[in-house]
Amino acid sequence: MSLQPGLYRHYKGPEYRVIGTAHHSETEEELVVYQALYGEYGLWVRPLSMFRETVEVDGQPVPRFALVQAEAELFGRP
């Protein structure tokens, strides 16, 4: 399962830049690597399955993170 790098909006409003995906060294779980575009601009990781899930807002399902603008991959594939 892959994820398009780019600008995403969290359902609560803040925006993040998805850098790409990585794998946990012990479990091989796929993780999303992303950067907050506010505050200290920290780097974060979250399981891909959680990043892609929907949450309920005012009784309606919405994506936890919604793609705003796709961007080219930072790290090319050989």
Side-chain angles (χ1 to χ4, degrees), residues 9-16 55 57 62-65:
R9 182 171 291 115
H10 189 266
Y11 76 97
K12 292 182 180 176
E15 292 188 343
Y16 297 85
V55 296
V57 177
V62 297
R64 181 180 296 276
F65 289 89

Side-chain angles (χ1 to χ4, degrees), residues 3 8-9 12 20 30 35 45 53 56 59 66 68 75 77:
L3 184 70
Y8 284 77
R9 182 171 291 115
K12 292 182 180 176
E30 197 165 6
Q35 181 179 28
V45 295
E53 71 186 2
E56 193 172 302
V68 174
F75 306 104
R77 308 253 188 244

Side-chain angles (χ1 to χ4, degrees), residues 3-75:
L3 184 70
Q4 174 69 48
L7 181 66
Y8 284 77
R9 182 171 291 115
H10 189 266
Y11 76 97
K12 292 182 180 176
E15 292 188 343
Y16 297 85
R17 173 158 285 114
V18 168
I19 297 166
T21 57
H23 289 91
H24 189 289
S25 62
E26 298 295 322
T27 65
E28 295 190 19
E29 179 180 21
E30 197 165 6
L31 305 170
V32 178
V33 181
Y34 59 105
Q35 181 179 28
L37 297 179
Y38 62 90
E40 295 183 19
Y41 291 78
L43 289 176
W44 298 87
V45 295
R46 179 185 296 253
L48 178 60
S49 60
M50 182 184 279
F51 192 92
R52 288 191 160 187
E53 71 186 2
T54 59
V55 296
E56 193 172 302
V57 177
D58 297 326
Q60 298 296 315
V62 297
R64 181 180 296 276
F65 289 89
L67 180 64
V68 174
Q69 181 178 349
E71 297 177 348
E73 289 189 37
L74 294 176
F75 306 104

